[in-house]
Amino acid sequence: MVLASLGQQQADLGVLVRATERAPAWGRDGDGPPAHWSGTPAEADRGGDDRRPPIPTDRILAEATRVADLLLDVQTRVNAQIDAALADLLPGVQQRLGVSPDDAADVTGLVNARITGLSVVVTPAAVAAVVPLAEESAATTAAGRRAMTDVVSGHDDRLAVIAGPCSIHDPAAALEYAGFLARMRERHGADLEILMRTYTEKPRTEVDWKGFAYDPFLDGSSRISVGLVATRMLMGAVTALGVPVAAEPLNALTPQYVNGLVTYNGVGARNVTDQTARERVSGFSSVVGFKNSPEGSVDSAISAVLTARAPHEFLGVDSHGVSAQLSTTGNDTAHVILRGTKDGPNFSAPHIADTRRRLAARGLPEVLVVDASHGNSQKDHRRQPGVVRDLAGQVAAGERAIRGVMIESNLAEGRQDLDQAHPERLEYGISVTDSCVDLPTTEAMLAELAAAARARRQAG
């Protein structure tokens, strides 16, 4: 009965889901189709095709809510059937093992003492069933992973650039930014492999908004199921534009909701020493990097790289959210990301040389990605162009260890505070977390990095 119900949900949602797989490539106020149109230019010119018109990008949250609500109903029924099956089967196991239910102690006050609620969430398998991976998205991810693997391994002499907002909070603005990067990829494809930073989870030093995946309405309502569905829809729309996606995985569950959509995963500075994070990415299908710790320890990142490159056996969950033992091959794309420290930057030529020596001493490839933001800019977006200028100079001079650069960029520069009581007051296209550079500045930095990659190639 539950499987039949899921099939009906697929039938109800099928056209809706396919309609999210295309996204705008035009500016918000520029020429072309109306703002937030998510079809292609050709479809706009001919009035669409024989399918239902695509979902406007500013309706993604509403449609994600509809999907989540339908799937939550299915999952509630699935859970009830699981409970009923366990209630039927476990007494027989207890009897065979000589265990009496009366043997169990009263655990009142011992378990869940600080848990105030437990809500059903959608599962990765159910979300994938009704928000399937489009052929265009699958092709983008496959090509992006091949390209990034070749860049990291040195088989491709281009420079990787991961650019985008510090965090995603507005799907419409994110897709407008993706349209900009699609144009930059066309312009600089011979010299740069450009990915979009599409981070919907935010690590916090203390307490703050945790990201679009966890609180998509920005109001503290924490509709996690909606956020997970919307994240998959959004990444599907970005990759359908031909723009590969980069993300930051914060726990064992969220990556499964976007399986097949992420080209690059960067493990953040706060998680680099987490043994479980190191083990998880050893099984990731994406290219992975580890940032140095906030205090500046590059050795922590190097240890993480060594761990992630090895095979592991560990406890995880499957696509149905059920506990499982996972076996991995190890991820040979793992590398170090230099992101600066709380005390200063670490992008200079001496820092690069020191990191190369440390990698070589541990028998690792001398491969680096450098973050132009965070500690390297001391969280001042106006310093990012200077960091990029220095890195471009090193690349042009022949430095081959630098395989990629990260940039925090948005439609408009700076940042703004999020008032969760009034999220409607936010300005369009401005970050709600770290400050970012704007599109003209990003365009100039990309041109500078492309020129540096050409110079390095020509120098042999």
Side-chain angles (χ1 to χ4, degrees):
M1 290 293 293
V2 172
L3 291 177
S5 176
L6 181 56
Q8 183 57 51
Q9 311 295 40
Q10 288 177 303
D12 292 343
L13 294 168
V15 175
L16 176 154
V17 169
R18 287 195 299 272
T20 66
E21 294 167 356
R22 297 184 298 276
W26 309 280
R28 192 179 186 209
D29 301 312
D31 296 333
H36 308 315
W37 166 263
S38 61
T40 64
E43 288 170 343
D45 291 341
R46 68 175 184 264
D49 56 19
D50 58 356
R51 293 177 291 186
R52 183 184 299 179
I55 299 169
T57 59
D58 56 2
R59 290 283 300 166
I60 283 181
L61 270 179
E63 301 301 346
T65 300
R66 180 185 172 213
V67 172
D69 287 345
L70 289 168
L71 291 183
L72 287 171
D73 176 65
V74 170
Q75 193 60 43
T76 299
R77 295 164 64 186
V78 169
N79 291 353
Q81 291 193 8
I82 292 173
D83 290 341
L86 290 174
D88 179 51
L89 298 173
L90 280 179
V93 176
Q94 289 175 313
Q95 185 177 24
R96 292 179 65 184
L97 295 174
V99 176
S100 169
D102 296 333
D103 294 340
D106 181 1
V107 296
T108 302
L110 296 179
V111 299
N112 295 336
R114 293 183 176 86
I115 302 298
T116 60
L118 193 156
S119 304
V120 175
V121 294
V122 295
T123 66
V127 175
V130 298
V131 188
L133 193 64
E135 290 184 8
E136 299 90 341
S137 293
T140 294
T141 303
R145 288 178 181 174
R146 285 194 300 270
M148 282 299 297
T149 298
D150 287 346
V151 168
V152 168
S153 65
H155 293 107
D156 185 334
D157 64 4
R158 293 181 301 163
L159 192 66
V161 180
I162 299 168
C166 173
S167 60
I168 300 297
H169 71 273
D170 177 357
L175 288 169
E176 183 176 336
Y177 186 91
F180 162 75
L181 281 193
R183 297 192 295 276
M184 294 300 101
R185 281 177 58 84
E186 290 182 3
R187 181 182 302 176
H188 298 300
D191 304 304
L192 304 177
E193 176 61 20
I194 302 173
L195 282 66
M196 179 170 167
R197 179 185 170 103
T198 315
Y199 288 18
T200 61
E201 301 179 77
K202 282 303 298 176
R204 312 311 310 213
T205 302
E206 294 181 354
V207 179
D208 210 331
W209 180 69
K210 295 180 182 179
F212 182 77
Y214 300 98
D215 187 19
F217 295 102
L218 318 178
D219 58 3
S221 58
S222 299
R223 296 287 306 277
I224 293 177
S225 288
V226 176
L228 294 170
V229 173
T231 293
R232 185 174 176 89
M233 287 180 167
L234 177 61
M235 288 188 178
V238 172
T239 50
L241 276 176
V243 179
V245 159
E248 179 178 358
L250 293 189
N251 64 55
L253 299 176
T254 49
Q256 297 201 53
Y257 290 91
V258 291
N259 246 348
L261 285 163
V262 178
T263 289
Y264 184 96
N265 272 293
V267 177
R270 296 173 184 84
N271 291 338
V272 69
T273 58
D274 182 353
Q275 178 69 17
T276 60
R278 297 174 175 186
E279 290 175 345
R280 284 197 303 273
V281 302
S282 74
F284 277 15
S285 302
S286 63
V287 177
V288 297
F290 289 91
K291 291 188 176 183
N292 62 260
S293 70
E295 295 74 26
S297 173
V298 174
D299 287 335
S300 293
I302 292 175
S303 293
V305 169
L306 283 165
T307 304
R309 283 174 169 252
H312 291 278
E313 301 277 341
F314 57 92
L315 186 65
V317 293
D318 65 16
S319 63
H320 299 287
V322 177
S323 297
Q325 179 176 331
L326 302 183
S327 308
T328 71
T329 62
N331 193 325
D332 61 2
T333 69
H335 58 272
V336 168
I337 304 169
L338 296 180
R339 51 87 71 193
T341 78
K342 61 182 180 63
D343 298 318
N346 61 3
F347 63 83
S348 70
H351 285 109
I352 301 297
D354 177 66
T355 304
R356 291 186 67 168
R357 285 192 295 270
R358 291 170 185 265
L359 289 166
R362 301 301 300 274
L364 290 169
E366 297 174 32
V367 173
L368 296 167
V369 169
V370 184
D371 184 353
S373 188
H374 298 99
N376 278 330
S377 68
Q378 295 299 283
K379 289 198 171 184
D380 182 346
H381 67 282
R382 295 166 296 185
R383 294 181 178 178
Q384 285 193 73
V387 178
V388 168
R389 189 170 304 114
D390 187 288
L391 294 172
Q394 293 183 57
V395 170
E399 177 57 77
R400 297 196 173 275
I402 300 174
R403 305 290 168 86
V405 177
M406 291 181 163
I407 297 169
E408 287 198 310
S409 162
N410 214 324
L411 300 179
E413 72 168 341
R415 66 169 304 279
Q416 60 187 322
D417 290 328
L418 168 61
D419 179 356
Q420 290 185 310
H422 295 285
E424 74 281 355
R425 295 177 181 173
L426 290 174
E427 293 186 53
Y428 182 81
I430 300 178
S431 174
V432 298
T433 45
D434 288 351
S435 60
C436 298
V437 297
D438 60 13
L439 296 188
T441 304
T442 305
E443 192 168 356
M445 288 193 291
L446 291 174
E448 191 169 12
L449 290 170
R454 285 195 301 274
R456 182 170 66 181
R457 181 185 303 125
Q458 291 164 1

